[in-house]
């Protein structure tokens, strides 16, 4: 248990002013926090004295704080890492956006070319024979031969 501080009175200064018209003696006002206060001595005399501050009631002991859970530490460490990764991905996408748009236009052009290459022969085949009977298919055979590196080429063309 803590000991109460002893009252230390180096030299008592007594205050005995003249009583006022009601018979009470006025007490002077002391500055707060000066360490000087009015003390009643064992013989009943009131005097000014240096006093020790009275200790205030100690706060009740609190339980030590609980340790931080491991999942909270892991989350706290992962949060800036994930945020930085998302930020870096955003910067990369902003740099890649013009190329991605150009690639999308090139892919649309490729799709149009494939569609035209697929649909055009069908349209030509049906439009070429419309209104006429089925025409015979013509075959052209060509035989070309040449002798030497710079020799003259000769050939025959056969149509059926």
């Amino acid at each position: 248990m803590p000991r109460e501080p002893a009252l230390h009175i180096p030299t008592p200064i007594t205050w005995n002013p003249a009583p006022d018209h009601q018979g009470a003696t006025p007490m002077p006002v002391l500055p707060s926090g000066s360490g000087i206060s009015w003390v009643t001595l064992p013989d009943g005399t009131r005097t000014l004295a240096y006093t020790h501050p009275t200790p205030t009631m100690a706060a009740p002991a609190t339980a030590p704080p609980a340790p931080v859970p491991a999942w909270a530490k892991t989350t706290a460490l992962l949060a800036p890492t994930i945020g930085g990764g998302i930020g870096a991905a955003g910067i990369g996408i902003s740099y890649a956006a013009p190329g991605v748009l150009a690639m999308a236009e090139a892919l649309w052009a490729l799709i149009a070319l494939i569609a035209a290459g697929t649909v055009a022969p069908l349209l030509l085949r049906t439009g070429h024979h419309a209104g006429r009977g089925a025409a015979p298919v013509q075959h052209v055979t060509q035989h070309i031969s040449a002798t030497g590196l710079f020799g003259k080429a000769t050939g025959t063309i056969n149509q059926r």
Side-chain angles (χ1 to χ4, degrees):
M1 285 191 83
R3 254 180 6 138
E4 296 218 19
L7 181 63
H8 175 66
I9 305 172
T11 308
I13 301 171
T14 57
W15 174 260
N16 292 321
D20 60 2
H21 64 281
Q22 294 177 354
T25 56
M27 298 288 257
V29 177
L30 298 173
S32 64
S34 64
I36 300 173
S37 64
W38 287 101
V39 178
T40 304
L41 297 176
D43 64 352
T45 309
R46 300 237 343 137
T47 184
L48 285 174
Y50 290 103
T51 58
H52 295 285
T54 56
T56 59
M57 293 283 292
T62 59
V68 178
W71 65 267
K73 290 180 184 177
T74 305
T75 303
L77 291 174
L78 283 177
T81 306
I82 292 172
I86 291 171
I91 291 171
I93 289 172
S94 71
Y95 280 122
V100 170
L101 293 175
M103 186 65 79
E105 290 182 20
L107 287 174
W108 280 115
L110 179 64
I111 290 170
L113 182 65
I114 291 171
T118 305
V119 174
L122 296 175
L123 293 176
L124 290 176
R125 202 173 284 168
T126 58
H128 181 69
H129 297 294
R132 293 189 323 189
V137 178
Q138 295 184 355
H139 293 284
V140 176
T141 305
Q142 194 172 22
H143 297 284
I144 300 172
S145 61
T147 56
L149 183 61
F150 297 106
K152 187 176 180 181
T154 59
T156 57
I157 297 175
N158 300 323
Q159 293 185 3
R160 290 192 233 160

